[in-house]
Amino acid sequence: MDYIEYPEGEMKRRSKAFYEDMQRRRTIRQFSDRPVPREIIENCLRTAGTAPSGANMQPWKFVVVEDLTLKKQIRQAAEKVEHEFYSRRAPDEWLHSLAPLGTSAQKPFLETAPYLIAIFSQLYGMGPDGEKIKHYYVLESVGIATGILISAIHNASLVSLTYTPSPMKFLNRILDRPANERPFMILVVGYPAKDVTVPDISRKMFDDIAMFK
Ligand code: IYR
């Protein structure tokens, strides 16, 4: 076991420092095309892979897309479903909630950003002889791993966008993934564009998100 117990003062300092660093994280929608060393992405993915999961099945697969042709295919497929979403499928209430974010069906970042990490959840595993292996709490597990990945990317001083076009099934076709893998989200990763702007939004007050009883 690698558990380390810090003295209480150190625990207070570390928990505060971590919070202060994390509260600076913002979701970014304008990316630079500046390249990022693959090693950094690999380290962040190794970190994500430390996440707890149901029965330790680790029901995730991270497909890192660097290839421009694949990125263009993903952009084209995503913009098609987004166009349908913004012009037809989205109820007015949903569009109203999105308005402060300034999003649209145009997704240029899917080509600009150096990495698109397509995150898949494995609904079941595949044994060596093609037998199905039961997975547990798949969405919870993949959600936790994704949260850790987002934190690791922020820690590396890169930025990310949690992007979920709907439906996302086109990712199986474009990235040639098997039927047991369901797209969970695309994490767009890179440096922010020089002229990046972020929506003027706030986080809930502590007393609105947590309580002690
Ligand atoms: N997928 C669309 C719409 C969208 C939905 C939610 I919920 C958001 O938080 C942001 C956007 C898009 O990316 O434009």
Side-chain angles (χ1 to χ4, degrees):
M1 244 276 279
D2 293 331
Y3 175 72
I4 301 173
E5 183 181 323
Y6 294 104
E8 218 171 85
E10 184 68 3
M11 291 166 77
K12 289 177 182 163
R13 194 197 61 73
R14 287 174 61 95
S15 58
K16 183 152 183 276
F18 190 65
Y19 162 61
E20 280 173 355
D21 189 60
M22 287 299 287
Q23 66 82 26
R24 290 185 307 100
R25 189 200 57 77
R26 292 298 307 260
T27 291
I28 292 302
R29 291 186 174 79
Q30 295 133 284
F31 285 79
S32 159
D33 62 359
R34 187 172 156 199
V36 170
R38 210 189 251 204
E39 180 186 342
I40 299 171
I41 303 302
E42 238 186 78
N43 287 335
C44 293
L45 289 168
R46 285 183 202 282
T47 306
T50 67
S53 62
N56 192 37
M57 289 298 174
Q58 305 166 61
W60 41 68
K61 183 78 84 183
F62 303 97
V63 181
V64 185
V65 180
E66 310 176 277
D67 181 79
L68 185 59
T69 309
L70 286 176
K71 284 193 216 164
K72 283 184 185 200
Q73 288 175 32
I74 292 172
R75 177 181 180 183
Q76 192 174 37
E79 287 183 340
K80 193 168 155 201
V81 301
E82 294 297 9
H83 189 74
E84 188 62 23
F85 174 81
Y86 282 96
S87 63
R88 267 187 259 282
R89 289 184 43 228
D92 282 347
E93 188 185 8
W94 195 341
L95 292 176
H96 183 76
S97 300
L98 290 180
L101 305 181
T103 55
S104 78
Q106 265 16 77
K107 303 297 175 191
F109 53 76
L110 293 172
E111 271 181 53
T112 322
Y115 295 105
L116 308 179
I117 306 181
I119 305 171
F120 290 85
S121 44
Q122 296 180 328
L123 306 176
Y124 51 89
M126 283 298 221
D129 300 316
E131 71 275 22
K132 291 186 181 180
I133 299 165
K134 183 119 181 66
H135 282 174
Y136 308 90
Y137 297 97
V138 170
L139 281 182
E140 292 84 348
S141 304
V142 179
I144 294 166
T146 300
I148 293 178
L149 179 58
I150 292 166
S151 307
I153 285 162
H154 172 71
N155 177 250
S157 86
L158 293 169
V159 296
S160 68
L161 166 65
T162 40
Y163 177 49
T164 53
S166 172
M168 255 190 299
K169 210 57 197 159
F170 60 81
L171 287 172
N172 285 74
R173 175 177 48 80
I174 296 172
L175 301 176
D176 193 26
R177 298 311 304 161
N180 64 319
E181 294 187 0
R182 175 181 291 171
F184 180 71
M185 74 167 53
I186 299 173
L187 199 69
V188 184
V189 179
Y191 289 98
K194 281 218 168 60
D195 53 355
V196 69
T197 56
V198 291
D200 182 19
I201 51 177
S202 58
R203 296 191 167 115
K204 287 183 178 174
M205 299 296 290
F206 180 78
D207 288 348
D208 286 337
I209 66 161
M211 64 185 79
F212 289 86
K213 281 191 181 275

